[in-house]
Amino acid sequence: MTPPNLLKMLPPALMVLVALLFGSSAYAQTSLLQNAPGRSVLSLNGRWNYIIDPYENGFYDYRREAFDQSKSGKGGYYDNQKPSSTQESELIEYDFDQSAGMQIPGDWNSQDPKLLYYEGTIWYKKSFNLKPQAGKRYFIYFGAINYESHIYLNGKKLGMHKGGFTPIQYDITSQLSATGDNFVVVKADNTRRPEEVPTINTDWWNYGGITRDVFVAETPATFINDYKVQLAKDAPGTLAGFVQLSGEGKANQSVTLNIAEAGIKQTMKTDAEGRATFSIPAKKLKMWSPQSPKLYAVSLSSGGDAVQDKIGFRTIQTKGQDILLNGKSIYMRGISMHDENPLIPGRARNEGDLRMLLTWAKELGCNYVRLAHYPHNETMLKLADEMGLLVWAEVPVYWTIAWTNPATYQNAEAQLSDLISMGKNRASVVVWSVGNETPLGDPRLAFMTNLVKKARSLDDTRLIAAALELHRTPDNVVHVDDQLGEFLDLTSFNEYAGWYWGGKPSEITKYTFDIKYNKPVVVSEFGGDALAGYHGDAETRWSEEYQEALYQSQIKMLSTIKGLRGMTPWILADFRATRRQHPVYQNGFNRKGLISSTGTKKKAYYVLQEYYRQMTQKYDGK
Ligand code: GCB
């Protein structure tokens, strides 16, 4: 749906056009299954055959007409055609089964040297055996495909999706073959375009392909589609939420919520829309926190369907310049990170990769991580729940988005909604971020405040933030007065004194901060590059000593901010970034990591670790 607020800003004629264009999507995906990986699933991970197709030969004919829009709908690579045994002369210029294979999940760039910089289309195919059972429904689910995907099952199109970091799901119940022999074909295209989210310019690698898990989930005909089980806003003694059924028999059904360990069991009836909302006294729950990440086994059941989850309960709110977790003031000892395993280097592929990143953060003394700059894997949020790390989760509204384009807004809002849907039952997630370092201006303010409103309407129990920019005056004052700050719960900004401005590390402590808002300050970024193993003095750029001195001065400078309640320096580990072209020090990597791309800790790591030790003592008394 086109965002109503944005529609209202347009002249009437344009409104109609926009509504016509975006009001109905030809390939609407089914509403995402909550906790899809926790259902009964058939994994489609593993080896998929692929064809590199820079000319989109498998999608368009020689007149550039899309095969899947033609009358027959035939002719594209999604047909997975084979020469028939009776017609040996038949011309078919592709063959998935004789093409190379790659591991899914996994970006293509790190799996084939000739694809390191590739931007364009790759086709994937996987065959699988699944005989549909009567009375069951089947959903094919992709954790993420970067960026635009067209997905076909047994030669028929399921849909098109844009956005490289959120799940994609289609109901395939009626399209599975009765014999059980099925094949799925995916066209993935990571071409950067100005009107997309993110846009053409980012400081991370444009990893393409099917980067997260793929499976088919099986449910009964009437099933639990969505649920939220959390504490109510500002009411720590009340469990509030809903259970949403889908399918024909969804109305007037019994649904049971059971948290055996807490002695909570409630049965309720769904309304005509299949929804049951609840508000249950729950005074004796043990609260989740980083020190004690208590999770309860929660089970939901209705008719033939049942879902299990592990859920933690906590409150998060701000009061003046304090952040209160379960009513107690906290300091957020954080670190930023990308969804990348630097040791591959490539996108994190599985739980092992993700656990390694979060273990590094824990060793650093963190109680908090900023999952920049786009939605990370659902498994990451579950691990953060389990390991006791607070999370800032973000959408790729990064730098220079096409602020006045309604379709761009719609896309950003869809990504935000999917992120919130995916993370809404995770106690670890305390911040939804609507964007990073977006340049000042009226259209941008309208766009961003609409996203803030959307986030609040979807989830009023968490904090809303964005990484703001700042400006300086000649009197060495750093001003944070971006109007967007008014609409947010935290004041967060990216600040690169000692690297992009402000002179050497030793010189930056002269700066003071003038912050317009009486809100907690959680600095979203600072940092500088260091090539691990390269040594010099504190004024030698790229050396570990320079980065070390920069962290020392930054901590000193930021500590003068009265409302400072946390930070997420940039960044946990070196990561691939095409923009970073110095042949010796960068070589295609952003080297602001505290840990190198071979896993060694740089000197600055220990500066931050010591600071976090002191802050733990100050706030937690240990
Ligand atoms: C930033 C961006 C981040 C970059 C970083 C840098 O402000 O938010 O994506 O990687 O600076 O290294 O310049």
Side-chain angles (χ1 to χ4, degrees), residues 408-565:
T408 305
Y409 180 83
Q410 189 202 27
N411 182 337
E413 196 186 86
Q415 293 193 42
L416 178 67
S417 304
D418 286 347
L419 170 64
I420 293 177
S421 174
M422 184 166 80
K424 65 178 179 252
N425 288 307
R426 304 282 73 90
S428 53
V429 180
V430 289
V431 180
W432 300 123
S433 167
V434 293
N436 180 76
E437 275 184 9
T438 53
L440 301 186
D442 287 344
R444 167 270 193 179
L445 191 63
F447 189 110
M448 296 303 278
T449 52
N450 276 327
L451 284 183
V452 172
K453 272 185 228 149
K454 181 71 188 177
R456 289 199 195 285
S457 75
L458 292 171
D459 181 7
D460 64 359
T461 68
R462 289 176 173 84
L463 310 179
I464 310 295
L468 305 175
E469 280 187 313
L470 32 77
H471 64 99
R472 280 165 290 136
T473 42
D475 53 354
N476 296 332
V477 178
V478 178
H479 301 269
V480 183
D481 52 11
D482 180 342
Q483 265 181 288
L484 176 59
E486 269 170 39
F487 300 86
L488 306 172
D489 297 313
L490 302 175
T491 301
S492 296
F493 49 83
N494 298 349
E495 172 274 297
Y496 279 92
W499 190 254
Y500 293 125
W501 54 269
K504 299 172 191 134
S506 61
E507 293 166 334
I508 63 174
T509 48
K510 65 180 181 237
Y511 288 102
T512 57
F513 286 81
D514 173 24
I515 297 174
K516 191 173 164 191
Y517 308 107
N518 180 37
K519 298 179 181 183
V521 176
V522 179
V523 177
S524 36
E525 286 179 32
F526 70 80
D529 292 53
L531 178 64
Y534 176 60
H535 295 286
D537 59 21
E539 302 192 352
T540 307
R541 217 176 254 268
W542 312 109
S543 73
E544 286 198 36
E545 287 71 16
Y546 187 105
Q547 192 192 38
E548 178 186 36
L550 185 139
Y551 267 68
Q552 284 159 346
S553 294
Q554 277 281 355
I555 289 169
K556 216 182 203 169
M557 178 184 72
L558 293 172
S559 298
T560 64
I561 299 174
K562 200 177 121 263
L564 185 71
R565 290 297 180 275

Side-chain angles (χ1 to χ4, degrees), residues 202-204 338 370 372-373 394 398-399 436-437 467 494-496 499-500 525 527-529 570-571 575 577 579-580 590-592:
T202 64
D203 189 27
W204 69 80
H338 270 293
R370 175 183 179 210
H373 280 301
E394 184 165 323
Y398 182 94
W399 293 353
N436 180 76
E437 275 184 9
N494 298 349
E495 172 274 297
Y496 279 92
W499 190 254
Y500 293 125
E525 286 179 32
D529 292 53
W570 193 255
I571 185 173
F575 61 97
R579 294 163 54 84
R580 304 299 171 173
N590 184 314
R591 300 279 185 202
K592 294 190 184 70

Side-chain angles (χ1 to χ4, degrees), residues 67-271:
F67 291 115
D68 68 17
Q69 301 300 310
S70 71
K71 248 198 189 138
S72 72
K74 297 256 165 245
Y77 287 0
Y78 49 85
D79 289 338
N80 186 31
Q81 216 189 332
K82 305 278 177 199
S84 77
S85 49
T86 50
Q87 266 188 298
E88 273 165 26
S89 61
E90 202 175 350
L91 175 65
I92 299 166
E93 292 183 278
Y94 69 98
D95 186 338
F96 277 108
D97 297 322
Q98 295 191 64
S99 297
M102 75 165 85
Q103 275 308 116
I104 299 300
D107 64 81
W108 64 54
N109 315 70
S110 63
Q111 296 196 58
D112 180 344
K114 68 175 176 289
L115 295 175
L116 179 60
Y117 285 92
Y118 183 69
E119 295 187 322
T121 283
I122 288 192
W123 292 88
Y124 295 88
K125 192 221 87 176
K126 177 133 189 115
S127 299
F128 62 98
N129 195 273
L130 178 61
K131 228 184 198 163
Q133 308 292 308
K136 299 280 186 203
R137 287 180 73 165
Y138 299 88
F139 299 91
I140 194 163
Y141 189 96
F142 296 79
I145 301 175
N146 192 34
Y147 172 84
E148 179 176 315
S149 61
H150 296 250
I151 301 176
Y152 306 82
L153 181 71
N154 300 328
K156 287 245 168 57
K157 189 160 192 167
L158 298 173
M160 186 277 279
H161 179 269
K162 287 180 176 192
F165 305 97
T166 43
I168 303 157
Q169 175 189 304
Y170 299 105
D171 185 341
I172 54 170
T173 313
S174 60
Q175 312 211 27
L176 284 166
S177 110
T179 64
D181 291 333
N182 299 283
F183 66 94
V184 57
V185 172
V186 174
K187 175 187 190 289
D189 180 358
N190 69 339
T191 306
R192 288 170 295 126
R193 299 182 205 278
E195 68 283 7
E196 297 301 329
V197 185
T199 176
I200 42 177
N201 202 16
T202 64
D203 189 27
W204 69 80
W205 206 266
N206 183 21
Y207 289 115
I210 307 174
T211 55
R212 295 185 189 155
D213 290 336
V214 189
F215 52 80
V216 178
E218 181 193 276
T219 71
T222 303
F223 61 98
I224 299 167
N225 199 347
D226 195 7
Y227 58 87
K228 183 177 184 184
V229 185
Q230 291 279 280
L231 291 179
K233 183 178 166 60
D234 302 333
T238 307
L239 262 190
F242 68 88
V243 183
Q244 177 70 55
L245 301 187
S246 283
E248 266 172 32
K250 67 186 179 189
N252 209 21
Q253 287 292 311
S254 284
V255 175
T256 302
L257 164 69
N258 192 355
I259 311 177
E261 192 189 337
I264 293 171
K265 185 165 185 184
Q266 174 131 337
T267 299
M268 45 221 153
K269 277 260 176 303
T270 58
D271 64 14

